[in-house]
């Protein structure tokens, strides 16, 4: 019996080569969503022969119990199975998408979200999640921006650590993960996957070592510092080298420089796909992945088929197999699977825990704290039943748009275990608020997509998109009439859940043609119009946002979307979400993000075009809404920051402080943001780069002092030529610090560092 970590060596010594290789085999029997063309075959026999170490995509707790019993009683060594799953944003109770969670700018909320996800998932017998995804994302054409934390390396790093801590808890950092409400995390997709060429899924990535180190690696380092147990390389090639076989990245940076000793789990069939990348045949690619210290082969079974021969041919050492197997056994030990594997497969606990009232309450609050208010003319929001009743004898709301009363999309992409029937629509959430005092009228008005072919692609995991067979004119006429008969219009539009996610890249980011027509023509009704925009990515709203009086960007919020959004619409929650990705004006501007580098020919301030300056002939350089942007139902005034420094051994620490005042009539939470521009040196620095932020709660009329500290290393830059040899260098000179409510409204001060 493996009771202590030392017993693992003893267990290893009793294992045959095939049994060790079996522990490196992660299979998917195909009970759930498949993200590749392949499902594993002959799984039952392989399990009995000890040739499967980990599984994901299993169908139910009962199935997991059966499998575990077989492992314990019918395999030669009785090594327990480890069950994994993609627990990306909630489990049975779907929580807001990661991109939405990041818009809270609240690491505590993100920590809680991961903890709730782990609570439900572990109660259902899942030991490890393939999350968080911490790829920095600047290209909203890429569907997987939904799964990440946006464009800022700093914000993604903060959220990365928070998610790992939430999944794994404090214990995780020190080794064991025995609590029944925690699970192991697997940070992904190492590294640079978010910079796929053209935003096209699985495409190659071309990043120099400085950009890779400065922008894309920090969120991974942050996860590792938080004690993450596993890491997944991406599907992509980085500067021509597929990362699943990238010793410089995986060995020199990850294992040696960062001392990561957890599991490296390949992505779905990614080892076998190295053949298509051009790295050789099955034996070559298995050897290459082993050389890069990839421990686990997900689904492809290339290790299963190749490794023993490779050991016999001395192309792979038996020590490297031992090392990989030791890592798997160690994680199983840390997860308590040797001690009491059935402890995590308890039907009673599953029944009591999953979908519990605390989880539902928190889920609702999370939805409301992730919404971003982009526009609110004449303070049309929050809606008030009293105000409506005073103005009208029979107050009424027109609910228009294909998402007004939809549940099927609400879980958002990558929610394989979510309970769709348990989702509450916007319509039902608002109905709960207004009771029977308010008349609600509905009209569909438009389609999420007007293309039948696209609708079929979006319905790959079940129908969430239908196309109304009526003509656009008929649909719109009906909606205008309904709008006319009500006091206010709620227009629920955007994209479908599967418009975003894996392999959901888009070249067009505008609202569908029928949505745009509807948005324009609704004006004819002469009623105030509030847009509620559901989406898994930043959309281009430029064409018709002028037609809205208020715009609430709600992303996909999961099970409790309706009530959570209603809490914001009716003012129970004062919105405090801030964009974690800029909203572009047009697809042609992409990538557009706050930390772009300067050019030698910058466009002068307040210019849209000047010949021979860096700009477009036909579009401004600025996004429609900048990174960090978001309104509240209050107003916050920012005083000028004062900056002081302290010097020790030539190293300068900068302190910036300022007073912010709530000049509005409601309590609010303000996200005060601090950006830096580094001093002159051999390397070009972003015009501004997010350094830090503070969330401040302010009662009406209240002022608070907000302080930031900038340590000397914040001004460092990366130098070197190879990914494996990059180092930080210090640099002194005149720098800039900017503070404000978003990346485009900073008050800047020069400082010598
Ligand atoms: C995705 C991973 C995911 C895996 C297992 C892959 O296609 O890239 O992020 O964890 O499938 O579902």
């Amino acid at each position: 019996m493996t009771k202590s970590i030392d017993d693992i060596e003893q267990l290893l010594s009793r294992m045959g080569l095939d049994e060790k290789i079996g522990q490196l085999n992660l299979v998917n029997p195909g009970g759930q969503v498949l993200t590749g063309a392949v499902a594993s075959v002959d799984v039952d026999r392989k399990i009995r022969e000890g040739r499967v170490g980990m599984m994901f995509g299993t169908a139910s707790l009962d199935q997991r119990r059966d499998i575990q019993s077989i492992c314990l009683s019918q395999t030669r060594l009785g090594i327990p199975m480890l069950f994994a799953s993609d627990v990306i944003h909630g489990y049975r109770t779907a929580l807001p998408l990661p991109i939405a969670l990041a818009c809270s700018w609240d690491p505590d909320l993100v920590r809680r979200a991961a903890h709730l996800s782990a609570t439900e998932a572990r109660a259902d017998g899942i030991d490890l999640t393939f999350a968080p995804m911490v790829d920095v994302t600047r290209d909203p054409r890429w569907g997987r921006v939904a799964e990440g934390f946006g464009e800022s390396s700093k914000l993604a790093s903060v959220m990365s650590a928070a998610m790992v801590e939430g999944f794994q808890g404090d214990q995780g950092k020190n080794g064991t993960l025995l609590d029944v409400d925690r699970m192991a995390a697997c940070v992904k997709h190492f590294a640079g996957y978010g910079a796929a060429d053209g935003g096209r899924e699985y495409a190659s990535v071309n990043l120099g070592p400085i950009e890779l180190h400065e922008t894309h690696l920090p969120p991974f380092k942050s996860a590792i510092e938080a004690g993450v147990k596993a890491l997944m390389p991406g599907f992509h090639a980085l500067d021509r080298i597929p990362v699943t076989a990238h010793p410089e990245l995986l060995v020199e940076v990850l294992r040696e420089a960062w001392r990561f000793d957890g599991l490296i789990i390949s992505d779905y069939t990614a080892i076998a796909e190295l053949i298509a990348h051009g790295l050789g045949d099955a034996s070559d690619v298995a050897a290459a992945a082993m050389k890069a210290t990839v421990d686990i082969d997900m689904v492809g079974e290339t290790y299963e088929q190749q490794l023993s021969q490779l050991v016999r041919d001395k192309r792979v050492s038996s020590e490297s197999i031992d090392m990989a197997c030791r890592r798997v056994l160690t994680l199983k030990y840390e997860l308590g699977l040797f001690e009491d594997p059935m402890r995590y497969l308890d039907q009673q606990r599953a029944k009591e825990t999953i979908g519990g009232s605390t989880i539902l309450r928190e889920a609702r609050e999370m939805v409301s704290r992730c919404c971003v208010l982009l526009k609110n003319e004449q303070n049309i929001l929050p809606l008030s039943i009293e105000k409506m009743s005073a103005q009208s004898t029979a107050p009424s709301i027109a609910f228009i748009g294909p998402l007004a009363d939809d549940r099927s999309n609400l879980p958002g992409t990558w929610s394989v275990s979510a309970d769709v029937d348990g989702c509450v629509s916007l319509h039902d959430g608002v109905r709960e608020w207004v009771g029977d005092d308010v008349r609600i009228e509905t009209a569909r008005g438009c389609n999420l997509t007007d293309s039948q072919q696209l609708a079929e692609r979006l319905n790959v995991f079940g129908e969430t998109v239908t196309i109304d067979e009526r003509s656009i004119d008929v649909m719109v006429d009906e909606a205008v009439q309904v709008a006319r008969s009500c006091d206010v219009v709620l227009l629920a539009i955007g994209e479908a859940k599967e418009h975003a996610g894996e392999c959901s890249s888009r070249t067009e980011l505008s609202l569908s043609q029928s949505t745009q027509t509807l948005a324009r023509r609704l004006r004819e009704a002469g009623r105030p119009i509030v847009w509620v925009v559901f989406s898994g990515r930043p959309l281009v709203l430029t064409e018709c946002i002028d037609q809205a009086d208020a715009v609430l960007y709600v992303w996909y919020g999961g099970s409790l979307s309706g009530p959570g959004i209603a809490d914001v619409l009716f003012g129970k929650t004062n919105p405090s979400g801030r964009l974690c990705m800029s909203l572009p004006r047009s697809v042609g501007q992409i990538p557009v993000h706050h930390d772009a580098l300067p050019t030698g020919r910058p466009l002068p301030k307040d210019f849209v075009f000047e010949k021979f300056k860096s700009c477009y002939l036909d579009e401004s350089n600025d996004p429609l809404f900048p990174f960090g942007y978001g309104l509240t139902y209050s107003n916050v005034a920012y005083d000028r920051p004062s900056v002081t420094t302290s010097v020790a051994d030539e190293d300068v620490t900068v302190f910036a402080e300022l007073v912010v005042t709530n000049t509005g009539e409601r309590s609010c939470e303000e996200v005060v943001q601090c950006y830096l521009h580094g001093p002159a040196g051999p390397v070009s620095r972003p015009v501004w780069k997010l350094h830090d932020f503070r969330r401040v709660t302010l009662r009406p009329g209240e002022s608070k002092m907000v302080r930031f500290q900038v340590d000397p290393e914040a001004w460092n830059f990366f130098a070197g030529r190879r990914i494996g040899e990059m180092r930080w260098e210090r640099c002194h000179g005149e720098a800039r610090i900017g503070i404000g409510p978003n990346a485009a409204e900073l008050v800047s001060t020069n400082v010598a560092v």
Side-chain angles (χ1 to χ4, degrees), residues 239 383 577 609:
D239 194 15
L383 301 173
F609 175 80

Side-chain angles (χ1 to χ4, degrees), residues 553-629:
Y553 212 87
V554 300
W555 308 100
Y556 271 107
S559 306
L560 273 287
S561 290
I565 296 168
D567 288 344
V568 178
L569 293 174
F570 289 92
K572 179 178 170 218
T573 307
N574 192 347
S576 59
R578 301 295 171 96
L579 293 176
C580 68
M581 271 183 95
S582 312
L583 249 58
R585 278 176 198 277
S586 72
V587 170
Q589 288 182 315
I590 294 169
V592 55
H593 51 97
H594 76 282
D595 48 357
L597 293 180
T599 71
R601 297 182 176 194
L603 189 67
K605 197 169 164 359
D606 298 329
F607 272 57
V608 177
F609 175 80
E610 194 180 320
K611 193 72 181 164
F612 304 122
K613 299 291 184 193
S614 179
C615 57
Y616 297 101
L617 269 177
D618 56 355
E619 187 54 279
S620 124
N621 285 352
D622 298 330
L624 187 62
F625 292 101
F627 175 75
Y629 185 84

Side-chain angles (χ1 to χ4, degrees), residues 646-661:
S646 87
V647 185
D649 295 336
E650 287 189 21
D651 281 342
V652 181
T653 304
V654 180
F655 304 93
E657 52 183 41
L658 78 163
V659 172
V660 289
T661 306

Side-chain angles (χ1 to χ4, degrees), residues 74 111 131 150 173 191 234 286-287 469 557 564 678:
Q74 296 181 39
R111 203 173 287 114
K173 209 163 177 176
E469 280 169 8

Side-chain angles (χ1 to χ4, degrees), residues 85-98 101 109-129 131-132 162-163 166-168 180-184 353-355 358-360 362-363 366 414 417:
S85 185
D86 287 274
V87 184
I88 308 294
H89 52 110
Y91 186 70
R92 194 80 77 240
T93 308
L95 302 177
L97 290 172
L101 291 171
L109 178 139
V110 171
R111 203 173 287 114
R112 272 185 357 248
H115 186 194
L116 293 186
S117 310
T119 304
E120 283 195 341
R122 198 90 202 266
D124 209 25
I126 306 296
D127 307 303
L128 177 144
T129 171
M163 267 226 165
F167 283 128
Q168 300 192 163
V180 290
D181 57 353
R182 302 291 181 175
M183 68 197 310
T353 310
I354 298 174
T358 318
I359 295 183
L360 295 180
E362 290 232 39
M366 282 174 194
W414 260 132
S417 306

Side-chain angles (χ1 to χ4, degrees), residues 442-591:
T442 55
R444 172 163 169 136
C446 63
N447 296 315
L448 288 176
T449 171
D450 302 307
S451 151
Q452 194 58 51
Q453 187 191 46
L454 182 52
E456 279 162 25
R457 291 179 185 167
L458 297 173
N459 289 337
V460 56
F461 302 130
E463 188 171 88
T464 64
V465 179
T466 52
I467 296 188
D468 198 309
E469 280 169 8
R470 293 173 297 168
S471 73
I472 295 182
D473 284 345
V474 171
M475 264 194 295
V476 172
D477 284 347
E478 178 195 69
V480 172
Q481 225 172 357
V482 166
R484 236 181 232 129
S485 74
C486 294
D487 301 317
V488 62
V489 177
L490 285 184
L491 180 60
I493 47 177
E495 58 171 20
K497 90 183 212 309
E498 292 307 327
H499 262 117
E502 184 170 347
C503 200
S504 284
S505 298
R506 301 184 69 182
T507 60
E508 278 296 333
L509 300 180
S510 298
L511 297 165
S512 71
Q513 215 45 56
S514 58
T515 308
Q516 292 187 38
T517 309
L518 172 69
R520 288 197 188 92
R521 286 217 29 225
L522 268 183
R523 274 289 179 217
E524 292 168 18
R527 298 288 183 270
I529 300 173
V530 178
W531 285 14
V532 178
V533 182
F534 291 83
S535 180
R537 58 155 62 76
L539 291 170
V540 170
L541 302 177
T542 320
E543 294 94 346
C544 49
I545 192 164
D546 290 349
Q547 311 299 330
D549 296 295
V551 178
L552 189 66
Y553 212 87
V554 300
W555 308 100
Y556 271 107
S559 306
L560 273 287
S561 290
I565 296 168
D567 288 344
V568 178
L569 293 174
F570 289 92
K572 179 178 170 218
T573 307
N574 192 347
S576 59
R578 301 295 171 96
L579 293 176
C580 68
M581 271 183 95
S582 312
L583 249 58
R585 278 176 198 277
S586 72
V587 170
Q589 288 182 315
I590 294 169

Side-chain angles (χ1 to χ4, degrees), residues 35 56 86 130 144 188-189 232 235 267-268 414 502:
T35 55
F56 80 113
D86 287 274
F130 302 129
R144 302 196 82 168
K188 67 192 188 184
H189 306 86
M232 186 189 293
F235 283 120
D267 206 340
Y268 204 108
W414 260 132
E502 184 170 347

